[in-house]
Amino acid sequence: MIKNFKLKKNNVEIFFVNRKSKIYPNIWLRDHIKNTENWDFRTNQRKTFTANLAPDLKAVKGKILENGKLLSITWSDSSSPAKYSHKFLLNNSEKKQLKKNIKPWIGRDIKNQIYIDYNKIDKNKNFLNLLESLHKYGFAVIKNCKPNLKSVKKIANKIGYVRNSIFGGLWTFESDNKKADSAYSQEELRPHTDSTYSNDAPGLQLLLCCKYNAKGGASIMVDGLSIARELKKNHQKLFKTLTKIKVKGKYLGDGVDLEAERPVFRLNNNKEIVQVSFNNYDRAPIELPYKSTLEFYNAIKKFDQLANSKKYQWRHILRPGELLIFNNWRVMHGRGSFSGKRKMAGCYINKEDFDSCCRMNSIIN
Ligand SMILES: [Fe+2]
């Protein structure tokens, strides 16, 4: 609730009950008026021509309404007052709550909390559990799926829709040395994120075990946020290097030549990590000044050592009917070496569609 406010020359200071006061620039408040003149309630789009607003506009009058639920402000360029709810002001003043309910983890933190039953997934409560696990830990395992593409499709369509890529939409694969990608080999696949060669890497990856007649081949998960936390705490310089230097990924083969680049830790305006990208297999030659080149190699050495240490890894052999689903913008995946036959099915889902599903279900705001 709003308990008081101060109209100043260029901003408004708002005092909330049980919170620190916040200062909002006049231009920001004026830009965010939600009335029929400034906002299209049908399409949820802004109507204000922001570039036409006077930079020196003033708050002429203010009034607290409905016991602090609303603040009304009259601006120097309009006669009718604009109303702002305390919820809107609070939600948009603090750092976005991206980190809320997110739990960076190391191997031993993961017990049974990430398992969900496929047969119960249509119940809203269980679907919410799946989303919560994906949000909190960055991954989940769905048990008791029928080992076919239908199960993959059903889960994908509950969250968003199947994304198309060079691998197709829904795919199945067995180890196949004819393919240009390391994923098809039987050697250990070290932890990585997929599609560092794509400007918009897939948000979720689904991997369903359809057949397993093999030895080894454990799926590996590593939380990129935990590695970031360790580096930030004990190797600040390396962490900074990994937030600054853009690393190019490349996929050459199968009739395509794809490239994209971004730092290992991509940050938002508030210096929070929004994406972890690391794929040593797909890394293209880096062109940097001599000193930065050495800094870069130092940084990825430490990063990769941590990602490959047992402490940070969760390992689990997927059995037929188990589907691993993970956030490819946060958690790295890998697979232990194996011998024998292993057949997998899967697909990708876009990050924004996963986020949208989380917002629609109030997992994030
Ligand atoms: Fe992969």
Side-chain angles (χ1 to χ4, degrees), residues 251-267:
Y251 188 106
L252 178 61
D254 303 325
V256 294
D257 185 349
L258 303 170
E259 285 187 2
E261 61 176 23
R262 57 186 161 269
V264 171
F265 298 124
R266 189 163 69 81
L267 307 179

Side-chain angles (χ1 to χ4, degrees), residues 181-183 189 192-195 205 207 279 326 328 333-334 348:
D181 200 86
S182 53
L189 263 180
H192 62 277
T193 59
D194 270 12
S195 306
Q205 181 167 174
L207 274 174
N279 191 319
F326 54 90
N328 184 54
H333 62 284
Y348 291 135

Side-chain angles (χ1 to χ4, degrees), residues 30-57:
R30 175 64 185 82
D31 187 40
H32 287 90
I33 295 180
K34 279 194 178 175
N35 58 21
T36 48
E37 199 186 319
N38 290 282
W39 189 256
D40 187 330
F41 286 92
R42 190 178 60 86
T43 64
N44 284 312
Q45 288 176 300
R46 177 180 290 104
K47 280 164 83 176
T48 311
F49 188 178
T50 306
N52 269 2
L53 297 177
D56 59 349
L57 68 102

Side-chain angles (χ1 to χ4, degrees), residues 182-197:
S182 53
Y184 294 89
S185 85
Q186 294 196 336
E187 289 164 28
E188 168 141 336
L189 263 180
R190 293 191 303 276
H192 62 277
T193 59
D194 270 12
S195 306
T196 49
Y197 46 76

Side-chain angles (χ1 to χ4, degrees), residues 198-340:
S198 166
N199 287 313
D200 173 28
L204 291 180
Q205 181 167 174
L206 284 69
L207 274 174
L208 169 66
C209 178
C210 298
K211 273 186 204 158
Y212 178 84
N213 190 2
K215 270 194 176 152
S219 293
I220 305 167
M221 299 265 93
V222 176
D223 190 0
L225 294 183
S226 284
I227 294 187
R229 193 170 59 175
E230 164 64 18
L231 291 173
K232 205 173 174 182
K233 195 173 160 204
N234 294 319
H235 307 274
Q236 272 173 27
K237 213 176 155 210
L238 302 182
F239 177 76
K240 208 168 174 193
T241 301
L242 294 174
T243 64
K244 294 274 183 262
I245 292 179
K246 288 180 182 164
V247 187
K248 195 186 281 178
K250 188 175 179 75
Y251 188 106
L252 178 61
D254 303 325
V256 294
D257 185 349
L258 303 170
E259 285 187 2
E261 61 176 23
R262 57 186 161 269
V264 171
F265 298 124
R266 189 163 69 81
L267 307 179
N268 65 12
N269 288 341
N270 294 324
K271 298 207 163 41
E272 295 165 324
I273 296 172
V274 287
Q275 185 176 14
V276 179
S277 292
F278 183 82
N279 191 319
N280 207 50
Y281 298 101
D282 291 340
R283 189 162 44 75
I286 196 150
E287 295 149 12
L288 289 168
Y290 186 85
K291 202 174 155 233
S292 307
T293 305
L294 297 184
E295 283 170 7
F296 167 71
Y297 276 101
N298 267 339
I300 60 165
K301 183 184 176 79
K302 189 71 199 167
F303 179 97
D304 215 4
Q305 277 174 346
L306 292 171
N308 283 280
S309 70
K310 287 262 154 67
K311 180 182 165 186
Y312 284 89
Q313 296 188 348
W314 175 83
R315 283 185 178 237
H316 172 77
I317 295 178
L318 290 174
R319 303 291 170 178
E322 286 188 324
L323 184 148
L324 178 63
I325 177 168
F326 54 90
N327 178 352
N328 184 54
W329 283 35
R330 167 180 172 187
V331 173
M332 282 172 285
H333 62 284
R335 192 215 59 229
S337 63
F338 71 99
S339 58

Side-chain angles (χ1 to χ4, degrees), residues 114-153:
I114 46 94
Y115 290 96
I116 316 280
D117 188 343
Y118 178 83
N119 297 312
K120 295 179 184 164
I121 207 130
D122 283 331
K123 278 199 180 142
N124 196 39
K125 183 177 143 263
N126 296 304
F127 182 60
L128 290 181
N129 286 344
L130 169 66
L131 295 179
E132 267 163 18
S133 183
L134 284 170
H135 178 63
K136 195 168 181 181
Y137 303 107
F139 78 106
V141 174
I142 304 174
K143 298 191 297 186
N144 303 323
C145 302
K146 289 219 169 74
N148 57 39
L149 278 175
K150 266 192 186 168
S151 321
V152 178
K153 193 176 175 185

